[in-house]
Amino acid sequence: MSATTLSFTHRFLPPTAPGRPPLLLLHGTGGDENDLIPLGQAAAPGAALLSPRGQVLEAGMPRFFRRLAEGVFDEADLRRRADDLAGFIAEAREAYGLPAPVALGFSNGANIAAALLLLHPQALAGAALLRAMVPLRAPPRPDLAGRRVLLLSGAMDPIVPAENGQRLAALLQGAGADVDHRTLPTGHGLSQADLTLVRGWLAAP
Ligand code: MLT
């Protein structure tokens, strides 16, 4: 059941196995808090799952921030929504007694996760970014030392050009993150290879 008690409508599944960091699940455009639960369960069995619903509606489809066109972001809104999401993470950590989560974001959810890393580096312990792009034209240079980031791009992604994924990887690496960037022989949609790689990356120390 979805909860509406904190600042975002969300689902929270408590951990059933000790020792795994919680996952913050961030859906793509048109998804909701239910979408990535099966992926989270398969990627990190037993981990706590925290899954908010994006608060922007685009033609009725939930997203995490506004865009002006595909791949062209309303950066003022993105910054505000990243602040709101960081606030929700803090509320949820307090309410559910959680350490900092690792984000697992897809598409629009991966883009807000990348923005969180840049604007609120303390909010996340790390991030798996599936089909993410550079979220801000003039990003700050946070200290991401010690943060692990998995970036999975699609070689035939019509939304995220290869150069953009490479720029995001370089940006995060330049800020000190431990970045593993892979390009899969696929498009913008998720594949079985994404699950296999995320599961292996989450299980690695
Ligand atoms: C975005 O708007 O975040 C990206 O274009 C990905 C998408 O949601 O299509």
Side-chain angles (χ1 to χ4, degrees):
M1 212 176 46
S2 300
T4 51
T5 44
L6 306 181
S7 58
F8 277 62
T9 297
H10 66 282
R11 281 183 67 188
F12 175 66
L13 276 66
T16 56
R20 303 208 71 146
L23 286 189
L24 175 74
L25 303 175
L26 299 167
H27 63 77
T29 301
D32 67 18
E33 66 276 22
N34 299 304
D35 265 40
L36 295 187
I37 298 276
L39 178 65
Q41 287 171 323
L49 302 179
L50 179 64
S51 186
R53 184 193 305 171
Q55 294 184 322
V56 166
L57 285 180
E58 181 185 277
M61 296 184 297
R63 288 173 51 83
F64 286 95
F65 58 87
R66 287 182 213 290
R67 63 181 163 183
L68 307 172
E70 192 165 272
V72 184
F73 301 152
D74 175 341
E75 293 198 16
D77 186 71
L78 170 52
R79 286 173 183 268
R80 189 193 126 204
R81 305 286 175 180
D83 293 352
D84 292 348
L85 189 57
F88 165 74
I89 294 167
E91 285 169 27
R93 285 186 60 184
E94 166 111 17
Y96 300 123
L98 300 172
V102 172
L104 171 53
F106 166 60
S107 189
N108 181 245
N111 294 337
I112 191 96
L116 271 179
L117 283 172
L118 295 168
L119 298 168
H120 293 277
Q122 305 308 323
L124 299 176
L129 308 173
L130 313 183
R131 314 297 182 270
M133 55 197 294
V134 176
L136 295 163
R137 272 188 304 266
R141 267 303 175 97
D143 180 5
L144 291 174
R147 300 287 190 297
R148 292 173 71 229
V149 176
L150 176 66
L151 175 58
L152 299 182
S153 302
M156 291 148 315
D157 189 332
I159 296 175
V160 185
E163 164 280 324
N164 195 303
Q166 281 155 12
R167 213 152 27 93
L168 177 59
L171 178 65
L172 297 171
Q173 213 149 23
D178 172 5
V179 179
D180 184 353
H181 183 201
R182 314 277 182 104
T183 300
L184 308 178
T186 185
H188 196 70
L190 295 180
S191 67
Q192 183 63 33
D194 287 280
L195 169 59
T196 306
L197 287 167
V198 172
R199 187 166 39 203
W201 179 80
L202 284 170

